[in-house]
Amino acid sequence: MRITNTATFARSVAALQDRHSELADLQDHLNAQKRVLRASDDPVAAARAERAQAQIARSDAQQRAVDASRNAMSQTESTLSDAIDLMQDARETLVQAGNGALGDSERANIGNKLQGLRDQLLALANREDGAGNYFFGGQGSSAPPFVNGPAGVAFRGTAGTQTGADGGEGLALTVDGQGAWLQAPDGNGLFKASNTNSTTAWSDGGHVTNPAAFFAATSPPAVADPSALRYEVKFSGTAGDMSYTVLKNGEAMDAPKPWTGTSTSGGRAVEFDGMSFAIGGAPADGNVFEVRLSQPKQSVFDTLDRAIAALKTPNRGSAQVQQTVQEGMAGLDGSLTALGSLRSRAGESLNHADAAEERNASLKLQGQEARSQAVDLDPYQALSEFQLKNTGYEAALKTYSMVQRLSIFNYIGG
């Protein structure tokens, strides 16, 4: 078979071009440090890399949600800390008002101080993150969620919480402030003792002395409707010969008892059904003190508004002032407990965000490792292959140069 010089040269040039193309392609992979630059390089590995990249992108998106939640809950926790400090200041200020040596003007000044603390609390309840999101606005509010009105402070937000998605988990962006600021359990959290008509005696917040007896007497089936349960402590008689009767939903629980007892908290204790509260001062004939189970309607603003109005009212007796102080402290204590619980939930949300961040970091690392395994280049192997191909290319060049000299004219010339 006759082979022409032209065909030989063409084949040599084609072989050189192929080797040069392979060498250039390997050079591109070395420069990029990638084994797979195009899907055609390795379709299976390219698909794996795409899935890994999608996992990395999801992790990045979830991390943005984590960062947003952490920022919101950090500011919420800080705001609640400030609110608790203000309420503790208000409580200490209210205790000062119970000093019997103070006159009307001094108590009015204390009322003015409480008004300032109350206004600061309202500003904290309406604090926003700078982007129009209110920390205590629930599921969202385009305006401050807590609004002053004729009946006091009302909630204008949407109940619930706003969350950001994190792989199916909810990361809090806001909290439902209505429950903590306006709907804390009143009284001592279990029952509320109140003075209905006495101007010469007062009652404290009381406490449960026997939990078993308390819950047995105030829970179903002993009581069909606990919210309707009412106790009354009615006084009758004259000074020095006073007695009281305890009624449960209008029926006397026992015979009248003389007004004697153990002195507690500046008063004398009245005990029944596992409950105890102190009555101080001098109860008069016809005075009634009521006890009912706590209800979720304690507003810190209403508590302060009542105390402020009472302290600014002149010519009030010592027992009336003490009643104002006792009711104010009980209300603040209930709201402090509610805000403290809300602060704990904000702390739990921060812990949740930290755990979510760790999970996202782990998932992102897995994605990065999977992508690396699919497309990254082994530099030592690639360099060895490059050197091998380069040697082959140089050999091909030498072969081509030798083929070019295979001409009869070279021999004639010799």
Side-chain angles (χ1 to χ4, degrees):
M1 181 178 65
R2 181 175 178 273
I3 301 175
T4 64
N5 288 341
T6 301
T8 301
F9 294 155
R11 285 198 299 270
S12 297
V13 170
L16 282 172
Q17 289 175 339
D18 289 342
R19 287 181 177 274
H20 185 270
S21 177
E22 292 176 358
L23 198 61
D25 184 63
L26 187 53
Q27 181 70 53
D28 291 340
H29 285 76
L30 277 168
N31 290 337
Q33 289 293 297
K34 297 294 181 183
R35 186 179 64 85
V36 179
L37 287 177
R38 296 168 292 275
S40 58
D41 293 336
D42 187 338
V44 174
R48 288 172 52 202
E50 285 296 325
R51 290 194 295 270
Q53 185 60 43
Q55 180 174 330
I56 293 170
R58 286 195 301 271
S59 297
D60 289 339
Q62 290 167 5
Q63 185 57 42
R64 288 192 291 272
V66 169
D67 292 340
S69 176
R70 178 185 289 112
N71 179 63
M73 290 300 100
S74 293
Q75 294 187 66
T76 299
E77 194 276 336
S78 176
T79 300
L80 288 169
S81 176
D82 293 341
I84 289 172
D85 289 341
L86 285 175
M87 290 175 63
Q88 288 174 340
D89 288 345
R91 193 182 191 284
E92 293 174 1
T93 301
L94 196 57
V95 171
Q96 296 174 9
N99 188 340
L102 298 181
D104 290 342
S105 60
E106 289 86 359
R107 284 193 289 270
N109 288 335
I110 291 176
N112 290 332
K113 182 178 179 180
L114 288 176
Q115 181 67 54
L117 294 173
R118 187 259 194 202
D119 293 341
Q120 292 180 60
L121 281 171
L122 182 59
L124 290 178
N126 284 326
R127 180 174 284 182
E128 60 171 319
D129 61 1
N133 298 315
Y134 295 91
F135 298 131
F136 304 103
Q139 295 187 37
S141 176
S142 59
F146 295 92
V147 182
N148 264 323
V153 174
F155 184 70
R156 295 290 183 263
T158 303
T161 59
Q162 185 178 354
T163 60
D166 169 44
E169 299 181 51
L171 290 168
L173 298 175
T174 63
V175 295
D176 189 351
Q178 182 180 15
W181 293 94
L182 304 183
Q183 294 179 345
D186 60 5
N188 57 30
L190 292 174
F191 69 88
K192 177 178 173 61
S194 57
N195 178 358
T196 61
N197 63 354
S198 179
T199 60
T200 59
W202 51 267
S203 66
D204 68 1
H207 60 281
V208 172
T209 55
N210 188 334
F214 171 76
F215 288 110
T218 60
S219 303
V223 181
D225 182 7
S227 65
L229 181 62
R230 293 289 186 275
Y231 294 89
E232 289 180 312
V233 179
K234 290 187 174 182
F235 285 86
S236 60
T238 59
D241 187 21
M242 189 67 61
S243 63
Y244 69 93
T245 303
V246 179
L247 294 89
K248 184 175 184 178
N249 285 343
E251 296 184 4
M253 297 178 64
D254 204 346
K257 297 180 180 179
W259 178 232
T260 59
T262 304
S263 177
T264 59
S265 303
R268 294 179 178 179
V270 177
E271 299 183 3
F272 48 86
D273 282 353
M275 293 174 279
S276 175
F277 71 100
I279 297 176
D285 183 51
N287 284 175
V288 177
F289 294 83
E290 184 182 80
V291 176
R292 60 166 175 76
L293 299 185
S294 293
Q295 299 175 8
K297 61 179 185 179
Q298 179 67 50
S299 165
V300 61
F301 304 108
D302 288 349
T303 296
L304 291 173
D305 286 342
R306 288 192 295 269
I308 292 166
L311 291 174
K312 290 184 177 181
T313 301
N315 302 320
R316 301 183 77 236
S318 175
Q320 292 173 302
V321 172
Q322 287 297 328
Q323 189 65 68
T324 296
V325 172
Q326 293 295 328
E327 289 180 353
M329 288 195 301
L332 288 176
D333 287 344
S335 294
L336 277 168
T337 299
L339 288 178
S341 297
L342 189 61
R343 185 182 181 187
S344 296
R345 291 198 293 273
E348 291 172 0
S349 295
L350 288 173
N351 291 335
H352 184 187
D354 290 340
E357 182 175 35
E358 292 180 3
R359 290 193 299 272
N360 286 336
S362 177
L363 289 173
K364 184 174 182 179
L365 181 60
Q366 291 175 10
Q368 290 171 335
E369 290 176 347
R371 183 183 62 181
S372 176
Q373 291 172 1
V375 302
D376 281 359
L377 189 71
D378 182 345
Y380 299 105
Q381 180 182 354
L383 186 58
S384 176
E385 185 178 355
F386 180 81
Q387 290 174 343
L388 180 62
K389 288 184 179 294
N390 187 54
T391 301
Y393 180 63
E394 290 176 351
L397 282 174
K398 291 180 179 180
T399 302
Y400 178 67
S401 66
M402 293 175 65
V403 170
Q404 278 187 321
R405 292 196 297 270
L406 293 177
S407 170
I408 191 170
F409 296 106
N410 291 333
Y411 292 98
I412 294 173

